[in-house]
Amino acid sequence: MGSKTLHSQSWQSYNVKQSGVDDMVLLSKINEDAIMENLRKRYMDDYIFTYIGPVLISVNPFKQMPYFGDREVEMYQGAAQYENPPHIYAVADNMYRNMLIDGEKQCVIISGESGAGKTVAAKFIMSYISKVSGGGPRVQHIKDIILQSNPLLEAFGNAKTVRNNNSSRFGKYFEIQFSSGGEPDGGRISNFLLEKSRVVTRNPGERSFHIFYQLIEGASDDQRRSLAITGLDYYSYLNQSGSYKVDDINDQRDCHETMHAMSVIGIPEQEQALVLQIVAGVLHLGNVGFREASNYATVEREEMLAFPAFLLGIDQTRLKEKLTSRKMDSKWGGQSESIDVTLNVEQACYTRDALAKALYTRLFDFLVESINKAMVKDQQEINIGVLDIYGFEIFQKNGFEQFCINFVNEKLQQIFIELTLKAEQDEYMQEGIRWTAIEYFNNKTVCDLIENRVNPPGIMSILDDVCATMHAVGEGADSTLLQKLRAQIGAHEHFNTWRQGFIVHHYAGKVVYEAGGFCERNRDVLFADLIELMQSSDISFIQALFPENLSAEKKGRPTTAGSKIKKQANDLVSTLMKCTPHYIRCIKPNETKKARDWEAARVKHQVEYLGLKENIRVRRAGYAYRRPFQKFLRRYAILTKETWPSWKGDERQGVLHLLTSTNMDQDQFQLGCTKVFIKAPESIFLLEETRDRKFDGYARAIQKAWRKHKAHQTCGQMREEASELFLNRKERRKHSVNRNFLGDYLGTDHQPELQLLLGKGERIDFADKVTKYDRRFKGIKRDLILTPKYVYLIGREMVKQGPERGCTVMVLKRKIDLEKILALSLSTMQDDFLILHEQQYDSLLECTFKTEFVGLLSRHFQERTQKKLPLKFSNRLNLKLKKESWGPWSAGGSRQVHFVQGQGEQAVLQASSKRLQVSIGPGLPNTALPTKKNSLTHQSSPPRVPQNYPTRPAPPPPVSQQNGGSNATRQPTNQNYSFLHQSTNQGLMSSNMTLPFLPPTFNIMQLKDRGNEVQLNLDCLRVPEQGAAGAQREMLSRPTPGAGRPKPTPKPKLQLPRCKALYAYDAQDTDELSFNADDIIEIMEEDVSGWWTGRLRGKRGLFPNNHVSKI
């Protein structure tokens, strides 16, 4: 039968144009140009993923790609890497399976510069793991939290920069915790270095955090009134950069998604409203300006204090006091006293901004902690860690935050080098494996330049010393920092200074940092006055954000932001080192953020500093797999009798025995001192497949024995139930009383085209060939199928038109709902006839296994209707006919079936116009019951299974030769957040504060600059200078790949014998092939019967050998 459906094997089908190579280890030439050209070819053909062994290279397509659906999830689940095209789902599946198989923690390190697609990659990984892991309501709740944490943290932690419209301005390490069965039942997020300065200032052309714009665009009318939400240009913290809208971001829709995410995570509605209230309070706080009066600062417009004080639940007078003065402790002669110091304008602005940043940072920490509380788990077992952290970045003005971000990226690059280049080669040396060293640039020297404590001290240590010895902030401290840097590390080859700052030669290029503000931001001090002010708030939620004990004695040097991020980075490295790492290297193809725009210079720079060439060379010359002898033996012990269940003897000899038994080539592996090294991934896949087949065979044997046992039990019960229906009512055939019930006599598991005609997921309980009699009592063969809901009658028809003309196809002739069955009629004799009575018309059937069918039908009928199936036993049965739309039978009518005593076991039929007479000899008495003695062993009627070859002889060739036809965009939720339409301050403040008046903003600088657009300087988007790191990469000498050995010739593919069709042939049955003259058929099996098995156009089937000639 010809199939009408074409099933493509994957989204990168085997018969489409090949775009480069899937795995760059297979490149014929290994240089930057060849790597770039391969990536460019694939990128232009929309294949954004490429492998270097187990490392995935991902190029940002800047558009939605079609291959991230449920079909791809099913395709990659449990599949080996080589079976499908490169995909991020393959990495996620490999992590998940390795975690379950080895019981070890896994992690994925996603690296690349800002805008390369790291955040999206992390979301795809978490989405895949959520889909393939099972579990109940608790597990589903954890999955929902994992997925909904993304939009929530993106709203509060991501922003638009000149490099990326959705740039992560914080680092996140998400640990998804699993039970031993592989269900996600917990999790934890560790966050790093939120760029809080973005709340108060940013570069031209950039935005603050998304949540500010979401609140303004998505606020309800009630919120606009209670939170004083106006236009975007009203707020000083938002109008300074001249950027409000982003093309591919819908702030109004995202606002509803953010609120939905908070609900899923379990944040109460009252606290959700308070979160938005604090966000609005930060915006209003930024509108408080200062002017100079007698060398001191005073609030420029006091009415601007009303709304921030109202929203934060604090006294307006105290807010003014704390913004313009500071309480300082003075010690003299063992005595201490507090004095109030009035601030100047610069200090007052710094104090206001410090309070805004502190409020926002602590609010962000509250959200992270809320997510962690919702996923908390008492006992940690195994987990998968997903690292999504800010990418390496260079802006027009690079400050302290960029320095910290780039330092963390240096540490991640060092991990990659340590584990993929250095550690691998060191391991070969230690294990005594034959190896020629491959040189590469190690960025440890840059990491030491930044984080060293002494001899010489690093930049962070010098910065901390300056902050500890300088009490003032501003130009004085920053100048001292520059002087000390020049004096102590000025001669370092990766460091330079300039008039206003310094330059670091990072692994990804030279970055120019401005020293202004370094000391101030590193000190990261929130004065006690501001903490005390927030602790006096009438809102307990805000009080809880500031839990410090101000009366406690302060000891030691305060923790700086630099030392904090250095500790977090080193702790992160320690955590990652405890896991089995997987890598995704993201590449940004352009700075225009447009699809199919390929900037060769930019990509080449990334290819060079990511070390892709060195990675390919190490991978090509090295070994894809290594395992300690003990682990290898434990995993593959089942492959031989000698090693199962355990090897008795030397572990090294046991490994060698396993590899020899599986016929692995000697050049494919080496045995080290403690580990086995296997070169090609295909060798591992072969071992895994052999192991799976072994386990599958044993599992099938166990399953078969258990099913046989259960089937015998069920069969005996069903046979007794069915026999009870016929007891004292119908004679029995001698071979049917003790026959075992098999259910499926058609082999429906091997007939997918038949299953397509049934309802999706329906279970087949009975299937057999029957004879169905029409109104003229002419017999027609039908497939009778019984499921728990329906009775199906399926026939065969010849296709008369179209490309499949002449093919035989299965056709659904009748589908009867069990609930619409009225009764079942049978005779009292031993015949196989039965009449199925239904509301429209009846069906007269002759069914060999009627006892089994009637028993199952009776059981399912009772389950569906809660009533017993009416059974009628009589030798005179009435048959209601189907009404036809034309002809003499348009009125329907009826027929009679009479049963009379005859001779023998075979029924003799005699038909007249309106009556069928059935004569048959006597059978066993109607009191016959099955005997338990033979019930498990006796099977008089063997099952009818499809034969391998047709019973008819192969047809002769025709007399004369015949002519043959030579963004996923996220959808807004429909949830109605009723609390968003209520007064936000209702019930949140204990004081009877009235809603203050919102004054208009007035900014002299805005009047001067009105009408002038912000001019962006985009020089920072150019490809950076490579600096000393790039020079060292160029100087490294690299040996010829494979030590000059010639490339091995590929093994020839197995070719099947073929034949050419001499004549056209139309299939006469479902398992035969149709073909035209001159078609080429692959011969899979020859048989003396004259029917050969072959394959044509992907379909396998039988064909007559006298229609073809071997080639």
Side-chain angles (χ1 to χ4, degrees):
M1 183 187 107
S3 175
K4 296 185 178 180
T5 307
L6 294 177
H7 299 283
S8 59
Q9 292 195 356
S10 68
W11 52 267
Q12 180 177 313
S13 183
Y14 67 93
N15 58 353
V16 300
K17 180 184 72 173
Q18 185 70 25
S19 295
V21 295
D22 288 350
D23 192 332
M24 290 195 287
V25 173
L26 304 176
L27 285 173
S28 57
K29 295 181 180 179
I30 306 178
N31 54 49
E32 278 85 1
D33 291 337
I35 295 170
M36 282 178 53
E37 180 59 19
N38 189 68
L39 292 174
R40 188 194 66 80
K41 279 183 183 178
R42 296 178 63 77
Y43 174 74
M44 290 302 181
D45 288 336
D46 287 342
Y47 301 134
I48 63 173
F49 298 120
T50 309
Y51 289 131
I52 299 178
V55 177
L56 182 70
I57 310 300
S58 172
V59 183
N60 191 343
F62 290 108
K63 66 177 181 179
Q64 296 293 334
M65 304 306 290
Y67 37 77
F68 292 98
D70 292 338
R71 180 169 172 269
E72 283 72 31
V73 171
E74 183 178 352
M75 182 191 307
Y76 285 89
Q77 186 175 1
Q81 179 176 307
Y82 69 94
E83 294 180 17
N84 295 307
H87 201 290
I88 196 168
Y89 286 169
V91 176
D93 188 73
N94 191 28
M95 278 197 302
Y96 183 68
R97 285 191 295 135
N98 285 353
M99 177 192 70
L100 296 179
I101 291 170
D102 298 331
E104 296 176 351
K105 297 179 180 179
Q106 310 286 313
C107 71
V108 57
I109 302 173
I110 308 172
S111 57
E113 62 183 49
S114 181
K118 299 181 298 300
T119 298
V120 175
K123 285 194 278 190
F124 278 132
I125 287 176
M126 289 190 280
S127 172
Y128 178 86
I129 292 173
S130 175
K131 288 178 180 178
V132 300
S133 52
R138 158 72 181 170
V139 170
Q140 186 58 48
H141 180 59
I142 295 296
K143 290 181 181 180
D144 293 340
I145 294 173
I146 291 171
L147 297 179
Q148 290 300 320
S149 67
N150 287 315
L152 178 59
L153 294 183
E154 280 185 24
F156 285 84
N158 287 27
K160 178 208 180 247
T161 68
V162 293
R163 291 184 171 273
N164 185 1
N165 288 346
N166 188 32
S167 177
S168 297
R169 310 316 299 164
F170 72 107
K172 175 180 68 176
Y173 184 62
F174 202 135
E175 288 180 288
I176 307 173
Q177 298 165 355
F178 295 84
S179 67
S180 56
E183 298 90 6
D185 58 355
R188 177 164 183 79
I189 294 176
S190 303
N191 62 303
F192 312 96
L193 187 70
L194 178 70
E195 188 191 24
K196 56 186 176 184
S197 64
R198 185 166 291 270
V199 174
V200 301
T201 184
R202 66 208 62 89
N203 291 322
E206 299 188 348
R207 296 206 314 178
S208 188
F209 295 103
H210 293 325
I211 187 60
F212 293 117
Y213 307 89
Q214 291 179 11
L215 175 60
I216 293 171
E217 294 293 336
S220 64
D221 293 338
D222 249 357
Q223 282 179 306
R224 293 185 181 279
R225 182 173 57 258
S226 60
L227 301 180
I229 301 299
T230 63
L232 288 163
D233 55 356
Y234 175 81
Y235 304 99
S236 295
Y237 279 163
L238 302 183
N239 63 26
Q240 57 186 266
S241 60
S243 180
Y244 300 117
K245 301 287 186 180
V246 183
D247 292 339
D248 55 350
I249 292 179
N250 185 329
D251 292 311
Q252 184 176 10
R253 180 197 63 201
D254 291 349
C255 178
H256 289 281
E257 286 201 0
T258 301
M259 304 310 298
H260 172 68
M262 282 199 267
S263 298
V264 171
I265 287 161
I267 300 176
E269 290 186 358
Q270 188 179 30
E271 290 187 358
Q272 293 181 39
L274 282 168
V275 167
L276 298 184
Q277 185 170 318
I278 294 174
V279 171
V282 169
L283 287 177
H284 285 289
L285 187 62
N287 283 347
V288 178
F290 304 95
R291 59 181 174 82
E292 189 174 326
S294 302
N295 295 328
Y296 296 114
T298 184
V299 175
E300 189 173 23
R301 299 171 63 194
E302 294 200 10
E303 64 268 25
M304 288 294 187
L305 292 167
F307 248 103
F310 169 74
L311 294 174
L312 299 177
I314 54 180
D315 182 68
Q316 181 175 332
T317 305
R318 291 202 67 193
L319 175 61
K320 174 187 174 183
E321 174 190 339
K322 297 302 181 183
L323 292 180
T324 56
S325 65
R326 183 183 307 154
K327 184 180 292 185
M328 299 188 68
D329 294 331
S330 175
K331 292 186 178 181
W332 183 263
Q335 301 293 323
S336 63
E337 60 176 334
S338 297
I339 57 174
D340 287 325
V341 178
T342 306
L343 307 177
N344 59 31
V345 172
E346 181 185 355
Q347 292 169 333
C349 289
Y350 172 81
T351 302
R352 176 202 62 202
D353 292 346
L355 178 58
K357 290 187 290 185
L359 277 166
Y360 192 83
T361 303
R362 295 179 185 224
L363 183 62
F364 184 81
D365 291 339
F366 160 77
L367 294 174
V368 173
E369 190 57 33
S370 297
I371 297 172
N372 287 337
K373 285 180 180 177
M375 299 188 297
V376 69
K377 180 181 176 184
D378 296 334
Q379 180 183 0
Q380 291 195 21
E381 297 176 67
I382 46 180
N383 65 58
I384 290 177
V386 181
L387 179 62
D388 175 23
I389 208 160
Y390 21 60
F392 187 90
E393 60 188 22
I394 304 174
F395 293 130
Q396 195 63 34
K397 180 180 179 181
N398 301 291
F400 178 73
E401 282 81 5
Q402 278 67 50
F403 177 73
C404 293
I405 287 171
N406 292 340
F407 162 66
V408 174
N409 277 272
E410 287 282 358
K411 296 292 288 185
L412 294 181
Q413 175 70 3
Q414 189 182 11
I415 290 179
F416 184 80
I417 289 172
E418 283 286 334
L419 297 181
T420 61
L421 300 178
K422 183 177 184 299
E424 184 163 349
Q425 297 194 74
D426 289 348
E427 186 176 35
Y428 294 151
M429 301 298 182
Q430 294 167 5
E431 290 285 331
I433 301 298
R434 297 184 299 275
W435 180 254
T436 302
I438 294 175
E439 295 183 342
Y440 55 90
F441 169 68
N442 192 338
N443 73 325
K444 186 177 185 302
T445 180
V446 183
C447 294
D448 291 342
L449 167 68
I450 297 173
E451 66 174 341
N452 250 14
R453 290 183 178 275
V454 290
N455 298 326
I459 297 174
M460 285 187 168
S461 295
I462 297 173
L463 178 60
D464 286 349
D465 288 339
V466 172
C467 291
T469 55
M470 305 283 296
H471 296 288
V473 292
E475 293 183 1
D478 295 329
S479 299
T480 303
L481 171 64
L482 274 179
Q483 292 173 9
K484 288 198 170 188
L485 289 175
R486 290 191 188 102
Q488 299 192 46
I489 58 174
H492 198 287
E493 62 176 332
H494 290 268
F495 180 84
N496 303 113
T497 59
W498 62 295
R499 183 170 53 85
Q500 296 180 355
F502 58 91
I503 302 169
V504 176
H505 298 238
H506 289 284
Y507 77 98
K510 292 166 59 175
V511 182
V512 179
Y513 297 103
E514 292 188 12
F518 252 70
C519 293
E520 173 186 309
R521 291 176 179 174
N522 184 54
R523 287 182 65 184
D524 196 30
V525 176
L526 183 64
F527 296 112
D529 300 58
L530 298 180
I531 298 175
E532 184 182 354
L533 173 66
M534 301 318 296
Q535 288 179 345
S536 69
S537 171
D538 294 333
I539 305 172
S540 59
F541 180 81
I542 294 180
Q543 294 176 15
L545 297 179
F546 295 84
E548 288 90 342
N549 183 4
L550 297 178
S551 60
E553 184 179 354
K554 298 176 183 177
K555 296 181 180 180
R557 182 185 290 187
T559 304
T560 61
S563 60
K564 188 184 299 182
I565 192 63
K566 183 167 69 172
K567 181 180 183 304
Q568 286 180 329
N570 288 317
D571 289 346
L572 175 63
V573 170
S574 299
T575 301
L576 296 176
M577 287 294 192
K578 295 175 184 176
C579 304
T580 301
H582 306 261
Y583 304 95
I584 299 175
R585 310 287 267 173
C586 297
I587 289 179
K588 187 177 185 181
N590 60 64
E591 284 293 350
T592 62
K593 305 169 190 171
K594 295 179 181 178
R596 293 180 179 271
D597 185 7
W598 183 268
E599 296 179 13
R602 176 166 302 282
V603 176
K604 184 175 183 180
H605 177 65
Q606 295 173 76
V607 167
E608 289 175 348
Y609 76 66
L610 289 174
L612 299 190
K613 179 169 64 171
E614 291 78 10
N615 192 5
I616 293 172
R617 294 176 64 228
V618 170
R619 186 71 192 174
R620 192 159 171 168
Y623 293 84
Y625 175 92
R626 75 283 320 272
R627 275 292 186 277
F629 293 149
Q630 184 180 12
K631 283 190 175 182
F632 185 86
L633 275 172
R634 186 167 64 243
R635 177 145 189 84
Y636 299 110
I638 198 171
L639 298 186
T640 68
K641 294 180 179 179
E642 292 79 9
T643 54
W644 181 260
S646 61
W647 172 258
K648 311 295 186 194
D650 180 59
E651 290 179 345
R652 181 187 179 92
Q653 292 301 316
V655 171
L656 187 60
H657 171 75
L658 273 174
L659 296 174
T660 306
S661 300
T662 54
N663 300 318
M664 189 176 293
D665 295 339
Q666 287 286 339
D667 60 350
Q668 285 297 307
F669 67 90
Q670 282 197 57
L671 299 183
C673 300
T674 62
K675 295 181 180 179
V676 56
F677 294 80
I678 298 177
K679 182 174 284 290
E682 291 77 10
S683 301
I684 299 301
F685 300 147
L686 176 63
L687 287 174
E688 286 292 323
E689 287 178 4
T690 308
R691 178 180 181 270
D692 288 343
R693 284 197 297 269
K694 284 282 188 179
F695 273 113
D696 183 68
Y698 292 140
R700 285 176 182 272
I702 296 171
Q703 190 180 60
K704 182 179 179 181
W706 171 250
R707 282 182 172 178
K708 184 176 181 181
H709 170 70
K710 292 298 292 181
H712 283 152
Q713 285 186 335
T714 307
C715 179
Q717 183 182 355
M718 288 171 55
R719 189 168 51 251
E720 291 176 4
E721 290 177 359
S723 297
E724 288 288 339
L725 297 175
F726 291 173
L727 184 64
N728 296 322
R729 304 169 84 177
K730 185 174 177 66
E731 293 178 359
R732 305 297 303 280
R733 288 186 180 274
K734 65 180 180 179
H735 294 305
S736 69
V737 177
N738 290 319
R739 186 185 64 81
N740 284 337
F741 289 175
L742 299 182
D744 184 2
Y745 299 93
L746 297 179
T748 57
D749 288 343
H750 305 289
Q751 299 187 55
E753 64 275 16
L754 186 148
Q755 294 179 339
L756 288 174
L757 297 176
L758 310 184
K760 186 176 181 181
E762 278 203 78
R763 184 183 77 245
I764 297 176
D765 289 333
F766 181 85
D768 188 27
K769 285 269 191 222
V770 300
T771 302
K772 189 256 182 190
Y773 291 89
D774 61 11
R775 63 178 63 245
R776 293 176 176 175
F777 302 115
K778 179 182 177 182
I780 309 169
K781 289 296 183 182
R782 292 282 186 261
D783 291 346
L784 175 65
I785 310 291
L786 174 64
T787 72
K789 295 182 180 179
Y790 300 98
V791 174
Y792 295 89
L793 287 173
I794 294 172
R796 305 290 191 279
E797 286 185 359
M798 188 81 72
V799 179
K800 297 180 179 179
Q801 294 180 347
E804 296 187 357
R805 180 183 177 185
C807 294
T808 303
V809 296
M810 290 185 178
V811 179
L812 179 62
K813 291 295 185 179
R814 193 171 188 194
K815 178 180 179 181
I816 305 173
D817 191 327
L818 296 189
E819 295 181 359
K820 294 183 179 180
I821 294 177
L822 302 177
L824 195 68
S825 295
L826 304 97
S827 75
T828 62
M829 299 183 180
Q830 66 162 330
D831 60 275
D832 296 328
F833 284 84
L834 58 90
I835 298 179
L836 199 59
H837 299 281
E838 197 252 355
Q839 294 174 0
Q840 293 182 346
Y841 62 95
D842 302 339
S843 293
L844 174 61
L845 307 174
E846 186 177 11
C847 177
T848 304
F849 304 125
K850 62 184 180 303
T851 307
E852 183 176 355
F853 172 71
V854 173
L856 285 169
L857 179 63
S858 177
R859 174 185 289 189
H860 290 332
F861 182 85
Q862 188 166 358
E863 291 172 352
R864 294 278 291 170
T865 64
Q866 308 303 316
K867 295 184 296 183
K868 288 188 176 182
L869 175 66
L871 295 177
K872 179 182 177 182
F873 294 87
S874 172
N875 290 335
R876 292 181 177 270
L877 303 178
N878 288 323
L879 176 68
K880 183 171 67 173
L881 299 179
K882 180 181 180 181
K883 291 182 179 181
E884 301 292 353
S885 58
W886 60 276
W889 302 288
S890 57
S894 64
R895 298 287 186 270
Q896 286 77 42
V897 184
H898 292 181
F899 296 87
V900 297
Q901 195 76 35
Q903 298 294 325
E905 295 183 356
Q906 297 298 322
V908 178
L909 308 184
Q910 185 176 354
S912 61
S913 59
K914 291 190 176 183
R915 190 180 76 175
L916 175 68
Q917 179 176 297
V918 181
S919 60
I920 192 169
L924 295 180
N926 57 18
T927 56
L929 286 173
T931 59
K932 293 187 177 182
K933 177 180 179 181
N934 297 325
S935 62
L936 297 181
T937 59
H938 183 63
Q939 183 173 333
S940 302
S941 180
R944 297 206 301 267
V945 297
Q947 295 179 346
N948 293 331
Y949 299 97
T951 55
R952 71 182 190 280
V959 176
S960 60
Q961 183 174 348
Q962 301 179 24
N963 295 324
S966 358
N967 222 307
T969 56
R970 297 177 292 187
Q971 296 298 321
T973 58
N974 295 323
Q975 185 172 351
N976 181 18
Y977 300 99
S978 57
F979 68 91
L980 290 181
H981 304 286
Q982 301 172 358
S983 178
T984 311
N985 63 310
Q986 182 180 356
L988 304 183
M989 302 180 186
S990 58
S991 60
N992 297 321
M993 299 172 64
T994 57
L995 198 66
F997 168 72
L998 181 67
T1001 55
F1002 180 78
N1003 191 319
I1004 297 176
M1005 294 303 295
Q1006 281 182 289
L1007 290 178
K1008 289 181 180 179
D1009 296 337
R1010 187 169 294 171
N1012 298 327
E1013 294 185 1
V1014 179
Q1015 297 297 319
L1016 301 183
N1017 187 335
L1018 300 180
D1019 290 345
C1020 63
L1021 300 184
R1022 296 175 180 171
V1023 178
E1025 296 181 36
Q1026 296 199 15
Q1032 289 188 21
R1033 282 195 290 266
E1034 289 295 326
M1035 291 171 58
L1036 290 175
S1037 60
R1038 300 171 178 114
T1040 305
R1045 294 191 299 272
K1047 182 180 178 181
T1049 56
K1051 294 182 179 179
K1053 294 183 178 178
L1054 179 63
Q1055 293 289 335
L1056 293 174
R1058 298 183 301 163
C1059 60
K1060 182 178 180 180
L1062 301 176
Y1063 319 104
Y1065 176 71
D1066 290 333
Q1068 303 300 307
D1069 209 340
T1070 57
D1071 57 353
E1072 297 177 18
L1073 284 178
S1074 293
F1075 51 84
N1076 296 316
D1078 298 329
D1079 279 351
I1080 304 300
I1081 306 172
E1082 290 181 298
I1083 303 172
M1084 306 184 72
E1085 186 179 348
E1086 300 180 21
D1087 192 83
V1088 294
S1089 66
W1091 290 97
W1092 290 358
T1093 304
R1095 183 168 56 206
L1096 175 63
R1097 290 186 284 274
K1099 185 179 186 300
R1100 176 174 174 160
L1102 300 169
F1103 65 94
N1105 65 355
N1106 51 16
H1107 281 57
V1108 300
S1109 174
K1110 278 190 176 182
I1111 299 175

